[in-house]
Amino acid sequence: MDPIVLAAGTALVSAMATDAWQRTAASIADLWKRARATEGEVIDPDRIPNELATLRTNVVRARTDSDPEMEESLTGLWRLRLHALIEQNPSLAEDLRSLVQESLLPEVDDRARVRVETLIQQSAKVSGGTNYMAGRDMRVHSGEETP
């Protein structure tokens, strides 16, 4: 699964537990409408907003009940839904990335932000060179070592 889809599912579920959930839901619903419009599919305009309202109810309940398994299950469900959306509409992948970075990421708590940013970093592509990333010390040697 594309790391940006993983990041989007994580950010979506986390953002739905915030006061900004309505903006979050509107952004996701707009992405869904654009995807379906490119396919010529007619959908009930209330379907996705209603599903997102249900998601909010379930996320808030999971957090209130201290049920991280439920929250992870909801994250997995929405990751699968977003994956299917992008599989059917690959041109929306960049829109999803922008939505995560511009709309969802600013709304999530610090813990979720770190998780999402880590997933986004995994999706970065390096072309024409070697990419090194370390959380602490790193030594890189190429060719012969000099004494």
Side-chain angles (χ1 to χ4, degrees), residues 8-43:
T10 300
L12 170 62
V13 171
S14 294
M16 290 302 284
T18 70
D19 290 338
W21 75 272
Q22 290 171 317
R23 280 193 310 272
T24 298
S27 297
I28 292 292
D30 181 58
L31 181 71
W32 230 273
K33 287 176 194 169
R34 283 185 285 140
R36 297 304 178 225
T38 62
E39 297 172 358
E41 181 181 335
V42 177
I43 62 168

Side-chain angles (χ1 to χ4, degrees), residues 132-139:
Y132 300 100
M133 183 170 30
R136 250 184 67 77
D137 301 336
M138 176 187 292
R139 287 187 189 192

Side-chain angles (χ1 to χ4, degrees), residues 36-107:
R36 297 304 178 225
T38 62
E39 297 172 358
E41 181 181 335
V42 177
I43 62 168
D44 175 1
D46 295 328
R47 191 185 96 210
I48 294 300
N50 289 342
E51 290 176 11
L52 290 165
T54 300
L55 170 62
R56 173 170 168 74
T57 300
N58 290 332
V59 171
V60 169
R61 183 179 306 128
R63 289 192 176 185
T64 301
D65 295 346
S66 298
D67 188 351
E69 291 83 11
M70 173 58 84
E71 192 167 343
E72 282 300 315
S73 294
L74 293 166
T75 299
L77 171 68
W78 280 91
R79 283 175 172 173
L80 289 172
R81 295 192 69 188
L82 291 166
H83 173 74
L85 186 73
I86 298 304
E87 282 285 307
Q88 294 170 357
N89 302 279
S91 64
L92 292 177
E94 195 54 42
D95 291 344
L96 182 61
R97 177 183 303 280
S98 295
L99 188 145
V100 168
Q101 293 178 326
E102 296 167 13
S103 300
L104 302 181
L105 203 53
E107 304 301 341

